[in-house]
């Protein structure tokens, strides 16, 4: 019996142009069988993951683009922190605290974790590039 395989780009950073089929993806996930239904399921999981990653990237990019306009917008977004470094330290502290919480409390505080990770990402971006962006805006 001949299995139908789907060709796709490999997510590995070492060879971004390499092609990976459904069988290779399933093997990379640890699946050793040859069930066509399970191979199709792995392919669907991979495609959904790629689509979700792209959607998340565009959402983060849109948020960063809104905050690029001025430094006061960025400072309002990072909220009681007074600088990007302070916001990074606060979010890192919260994430470490969240990991030490019991499971039931982690589940209740999941939206807080999502906000902390988002704030950390924004703060890291503006810690690196904010001064340059806002200097160009002022000039």
């Amino acid at each position: 019996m001949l299995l139908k395989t789907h060709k796709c780009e490999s997510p590995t950073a070492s060879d971004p142009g390499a092609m990976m089929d459904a069988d290779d993806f399933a093997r990379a996930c640890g699946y050793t069988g040859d069930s066509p239904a399970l191979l199709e399921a792995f392919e669907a999981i991979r495609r959904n993951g790629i689509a979700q990653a792209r959607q998340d990237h565009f959402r983060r990019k849109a948020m960063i683009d809104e905050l690029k306009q001025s430094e006061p917008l960025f400072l309002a977004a990072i909220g009681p922190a007074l600088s990007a470094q302070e916001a990074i330290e606060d979010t890192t502290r919260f994430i470490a605290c969240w990991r030490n919480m019991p499971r039931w409390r982690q589940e209740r505080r999941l939206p807080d974790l999502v906000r902390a990770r988002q704030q950390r990402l924004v703060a890291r971006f503006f810690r690196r590039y904010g001064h340059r962006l806002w200097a160009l805006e002022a000039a």
Side-chain angles (χ1 to χ4, degrees):
M1 179 166 115
L2 202 57
L3 291 177
K4 182 173 91 173
T5 58
H6 300 280
K7 296 289 183 182
C8 64
E9 287 186 274
S10 172
T12 60
S14 61
D15 190 10
M19 300 299 276
M20 176 183 276
D21 62 10
D23 294 335
D24 293 338
F25 179 72
R27 302 286 181 266
C29 292
Y31 178 68
T32 58
D34 60 352
S35 166
L38 282 174
L39 290 174
E40 287 296 320
F42 274 108
E43 179 66 12
I45 290 168
R46 185 195 62 77
R47 285 185 183 170
N48 185 39
I50 291 170
Q52 184 67 38
R54 284 184 180 146
Q55 182 182 15
D56 290 345
H57 168 74
F58 291 130
R59 184 179 48 80
R60 287 189 302 264
K61 184 175 181 336
M63 182 181 54
I64 294 277
D65 288 344
E66 288 177 17
L67 296 176
K68 280 182 182 178
Q69 296 174 16
S70 69
E71 190 172 8
L73 281 176
F74 165 68
L75 292 173
I78 63 172
L82 299 175
S83 67
Q85 185 61 37
E86 187 178 339
I88 293 169
E89 291 169 4
D90 291 346
T91 57
T92 302
R93 196 174 308 114
F94 175 78
I95 292 169
C97 178
W98 186 86
R99 289 181 181 151
N100 292 324
M101 289 180 186
R103 180 86 170 164
W104 62 271
R105 187 173 284 167
Q106 283 181 350
E107 291 170 359
R108 274 192 5 204
R109 305 277 315 258
L110 197 57
D112 295 333
L113 177 68
V114 170
R115 271 192 305 270
R117 285 182 173 166
Q118 183 178 359
Q119 185 176 18
R120 183 176 60 176
L121 182 111
V122 169
R124 283 179 174 171
F125 177 84
F126 282 104
R127 180 183 62 183
R128 279 189 202 134
Y129 304 110
H131 299 293
R132 195 175 328 160
L133 290 169
W134 296 318
L136 289 174
E137 184 73 26

